[in-house]
Amino acid sequence: AAGTDVTVALLDVDGMHAINTAHTHDGGDLFLAALAERLNTAATPGDVAARLGGDEFVLITPRDPHTVAVALASAVAAPATIDGIVRPMRVSIGICRLRGGDPHIALGCADRAMYTAKRCGGGIEFYDAARDGQPLVRGLRPAVRHRDRPSARRLRDGF
């Protein structure tokens, strides 16, 4: 996709820890598999849909970002059922479109927009440089991200 117009959408599950706690990691894996299946249905021929790791997924496509947003919103609208319990498919999605740009930078921009979506309580956010800032060089994502850092309370309480 380098050198072409590209839209990158980065999806991150909201509340994955609670899902793993309520349903064990096996139930969490079922939830992630359901999300992956839905992402694949939102993809069209020529798109790349992948799991980046943990509870993060990416969709890379030449499609318009608003078309992608509608497709993803539709794909995650219905709840998932795990162990007979219906759970909403809550995700935070960041979307970035770069005209003739570097898809690595688009990924970094989508990551920043996704964190804006997280701060807003979930949903979809389109990258806005004025609001989200610039990604790291070549779109690299931070090695240690805010959610990966132990909170002061957890350190103080020993867990």
Side-chain angles (χ1 to χ4, degrees), residues 11-12 50-57 147:
L11 297 81
D12 186 270
R51 181 177 178 198
L52 293 179
D55 60 350
E56 289 186 327
F57 295 82
R147 71 176 186 191

Side-chain angles (χ1 to χ4, degrees), residues 101-142:
D102 184 333
H104 298 284
I105 292 176
L107 176 62
C109 293
D111 183 64
R112 290 193 169 261
M114 184 272 298
Y115 272 98
T116 296
K118 284 260 185 223
R119 284 190 302 275
C120 293
I124 300 173
E125 291 290 336
F126 295 94
Y127 176 71
D128 177 345
R131 177 195 65 202
D132 301 325
Q134 295 296 317
L136 299 175
V137 176
R138 289 230 349 116
L140 295 176
R141 298 164 70 202

Side-chain angles (χ1 to χ4, degrees), residues 22-112:
H23 302 283
T24 74
H25 286 278
D26 289 341
D29 288 347
L30 292 173
F31 188 87
L32 293 173
L35 177 56
E37 184 177 315
R38 292 170 187 214
L39 181 59
N40 280 330
T41 65
T44 60
D47 290 353
V48 174
R51 181 177 178 198
L52 293 179
D55 60 350
E56 289 186 327
F57 295 82
V58 67
L59 178 66
I60 304 170
T61 178
R63 292 182 287 159
D64 171 83
H66 294 285
T67 302
V68 172
V70 169
L72 291 174
S74 176
V76 300
T81 303
I82 303 170
D83 299 330
I85 298 171
V86 177
R87 298 197 66 97
M89 184 68 64
R90 293 186 7 207
V91 295
S92 293
I93 303 172
I95 298 178
C96 178
R97 173 80 170 178
L98 283 185
R99 305 235 175 253
D102 184 333
H104 298 284
I105 292 176
L107 176 62
C109 293
D111 183 64
R112 290 193 169 261

